[in-house]
């Protein structure tokens, strides 16, 4: 694997840290700015909104630029957003700064995935994507706990200055390690880029991402009350258990990348099915501390087993605009975050019990399997209809047929 993937992983580490650290710093930020915890929670939403808006727009706007230049520019925007967060004088300015911090998130992962797959042989594409995502999963093990501790000891502003420093290191790594490339040939402009997202297979792939990762966030958003109220852990133990989730996510991410290079769709279905089983067993596993700890690790592993396959599948379905499609998939991840948390909250509010968000997540995972099955059926139908619509060149395997075969 090229050393250049390390530069992408460093950027992913910084992005993962700033995305999730705000959850641990909410009380500190609320006290310092003299606002309520719910108001401080809007800072999480502001970042997610930046991701959803910035992912497709920045990817489309930079489609004709050198991808190396785009990655460096996106990381510079990331540094600026976090620096503005550190010096924000009040709630409104911090909301704006968090929004700016989120803008480059999706486009960085989207363009980065295209760069990563372009540097390796076809049979290693999924593994290259998983190595980039490694920075995101490791951030949950090391970056978030360390940044949270820094914020609690030195003040929350120090945390965002530290994240900015990670961004500067990522810019240096990108400049040194990412090969220089030429801007893609002029295409049909923004309208042509957006046209690549109109196909049904692309939307089915994005729908699988929303349902599959919505299942994860339906449970993960309420993992703390499950661990404390149902499993009986002390609140001080939750940080260590969340790191255990990161360990499971890292293992699932690496395993998913390796397996997807052999069978993309098989790995996707296996990951979604595993997620259904783990979430369905959550009420049972949350009865003791030992089984609850195992459940947290298994949840991370099952969910991130599907990360690389989903990213690669979306890119294959929109081959004419892989950067835009890949970035749109990152927006789908964040929609899953918000939607899953909302659905899990509905289950709690309805009085179905502390572990009911996990049951709701299991239902979403079943929906993910159904959407992935519909995508598979569409691919099979298109392959079956292909000979009737045109001559097949001898020795050439149509893209749709290759996707179905994998």
């Amino acid at each position: 694997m090229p050393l250049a993937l390390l530069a992408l992983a460093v950027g992913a580490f910084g992005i993962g840290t700033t995305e999730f650290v705000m959850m641990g710093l909410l009380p500190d930020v609320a006290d310092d700015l003299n606002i309520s915890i719910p108001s401080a929670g809007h800072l999480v939403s502001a970042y997610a909104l930046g991701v959803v808006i910035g992912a497709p727009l920045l990817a489309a706007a930079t489609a004709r630029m050198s991808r190396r230049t785009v990655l460096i520019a996106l990381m510079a925007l990331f540094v600026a957003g976090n620096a503005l967060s550190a010096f924000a004088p009040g709630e409104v300015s911090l909301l704006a700064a968090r929004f700016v911090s989120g803008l480059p998130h999706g486009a960085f992962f989207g363009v980065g995935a295209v760069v990563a797959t372009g540097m390796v042989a076809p049979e290693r594409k999924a593994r290259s994507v998983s190595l980039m995502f490694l920075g995101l999963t490791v951030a949950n093990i090391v970056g978030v706990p360390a940044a949270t501790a820094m914020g609690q000891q030195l003040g929350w502003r120090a945390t965002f200055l530290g994240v900015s420093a990670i961004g500067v290191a990522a810019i240096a790594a990108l400049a040194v390690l990412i090969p220089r490339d030429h801007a893609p040939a002029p295409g049909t402009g923004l309208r042509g880029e957006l046209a690549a997202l109109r196909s049904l297979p692309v939307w089915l792939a994005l729908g699988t991402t929303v349902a599959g990762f919505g299942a994860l966030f339906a449970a993960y958003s309420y993992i703390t009350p499950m661990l404390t109220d149902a499993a009986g852990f002390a609140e001080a133990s939750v940080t260590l258990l969340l790191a255990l989730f990161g360990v499971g996510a890292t293992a699932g991410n690496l395993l998913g990348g390796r397996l997807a290079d052999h069978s993309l769709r098989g790995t996707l279905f296996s990951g979604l099915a595993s997620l259904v089983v783990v979430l369905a067993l959550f009420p049972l596993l949350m009865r003791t501390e030992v089984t609850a700890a195992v459940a947290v690790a298994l949840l991370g592993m099952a969910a991130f087993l599907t990360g690389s396959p989903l990213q690669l599948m979306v890119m294959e379905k929109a081959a004419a605009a892989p950067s835009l499609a890949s970035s749109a998939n990152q927006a789908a991840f964040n929609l899953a975050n918000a939607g899953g948390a909302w659905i899990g909250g509905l289950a709690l509010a309805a009085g179905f019990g502390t572990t009911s968000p996990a049951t709701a997540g299991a239902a979403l995972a079943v929906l993910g399997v159904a959407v992935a099955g519909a995508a598979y059926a569409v691919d099979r139908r298109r392959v079956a209809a292909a000979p009737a619509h045109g001559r097949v060149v001898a020795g050439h395997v149509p893209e749709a047929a290759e996707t179905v075969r994998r």
Side-chain angles (χ1 to χ4, degrees):
M1 286 291 175
L3 188 60
L5 293 176
L6 175 63
L8 296 173
V10 172
F13 178 81
I15 289 173
T17 300
T18 202
E19 178 180 18
F20 294 108
V21 75
M22 182 55 76
M23 286 76 159
L25 295 178
L26 283 183
D28 302 272
V29 174
D31 287 343
D32 185 53
L33 298 181
N34 197 27
I35 59 176
S36 67
I37 293 290
S39 293
H42 295 156
L43 298 168
V44 177
S45 303
Y47 183 93
L49 182 63
V51 178
V52 173
I53 292 176
L57 290 184
L58 289 178
T62 60
R64 299 183 185 181
M65 295 172 59
S66 158
R67 291 185 176 122
R68 177 178 179 271
T69 302
V70 171
L71 288 171
I72 293 173
L74 290 171
M75 192 49 58
L77 180 59
F78 170 83
V79 171
N82 282 280
L84 288 172
S85 298
F87 294 105
E91 180 185 5
V92 174
S93 56
L94 185 55
L95 280 169
R98 287 293 289 171
F99 176 79
V100 172
S101 299
L103 287 174
H105 176 131
F108 181 88
F109 280 109
V111 176
V114 176
V115 171
T117 55
M119 291 190 294
V120 298
E123 66 272 12
R124 290 177 176 266
K125 284 186 175 183
R127 265 173 284 187
S128 72
V129 173
S130 72
L131 288 177
M132 179 185 66
F133 281 147
L134 186 63
L136 183 64
T137 57
V138 170
N140 283 284
I141 305 173
V142 180
V144 174
T148 301
M150 177 188 291
Q152 291 169 346
Q153 296 299 319
L154 303 176
W156 62 270
R157 297 179 188 277
T159 294
F160 291 109
L161 286 177
V163 172
S164 297
I166 296 173
V168 171
I171 290 174
L174 291 167
V176 172
L177 298 178
I178 298 295
R180 293 186 178 274
D181 61 334
H182 299 287
T188 54
L190 179 58
R191 182 177 298 178
E193 290 285 325
L194 295 175
L197 297 182
R198 292 178 185 170
S199 73
L200 178 60
V202 171
W203 283 102
L204 287 174
L206 293 173
T208 306
T209 296
V210 172
F213 273 82
L216 165 65
F217 286 110
Y220 187 68
S221 300
Y222 305 95
I223 196 69
T224 296
M226 282 193 240
L227 291 171
T228 55
D229 298 345
F233 280 103
E235 288 187 8
S237 304
V238 172
T239 300
L240 181 61
L241 290 164
L242 295 183
L244 193 59
F245 171 86
V247 171
T250 300
N253 173 55
L254 292 174
L255 181 62
R258 182 168 291 273
L259 294 177
D261 279 327
H262 296 286
S263 176
L264 181 63
R265 203 177 294 271
T267 304
L268 176 58
F269 277 115
S270 298
L272 290 171
S274 300
L275 194 55
V276 172
V277 173
V278 171
L279 288 170
L281 291 176
F282 240 62
L284 220 68
L285 295 173
M286 283 291 150
R287 293 181 179 178
T288 71
E289 290 186 354
V290 173
T291 54
V294 172
V296 170
L298 289 178
L299 177 62
M301 179 177 287
F304 279 85
L305 192 65
T306 65
S308 298
L310 282 169
Q311 192 74 26
L312 202 56
M313 185 169 291
V314 170
M315 290 165 61
E316 288 184 351
K317 298 303 179 187
S323 295
L324 178 57
S326 185
S327 300
N329 195 46
Q330 292 301 312
F333 277 120
N334 277 268
L335 287 174
N337 189 337
W342 178 67
I343 290 173
L346 288 179
L348 271 180
F352 293 133
T354 307
T355 59
S356 60
T359 305
L364 281 174
V366 170
L367 177 61
V369 173
V371 177
Y376 180 62
V378 168
D379 280 344
R380 287 183 63 89
R381 186 164 63 247
R382 290 193 172 202
V383 170
H389 292 292
R391 181 173 58 86
V392 178
V393 178
H396 173 69
V397 180
E399 181 184 347
E402 176 64 18
T403 302
V404 171
R405 188 176 68 184
R406 294 180 66 195

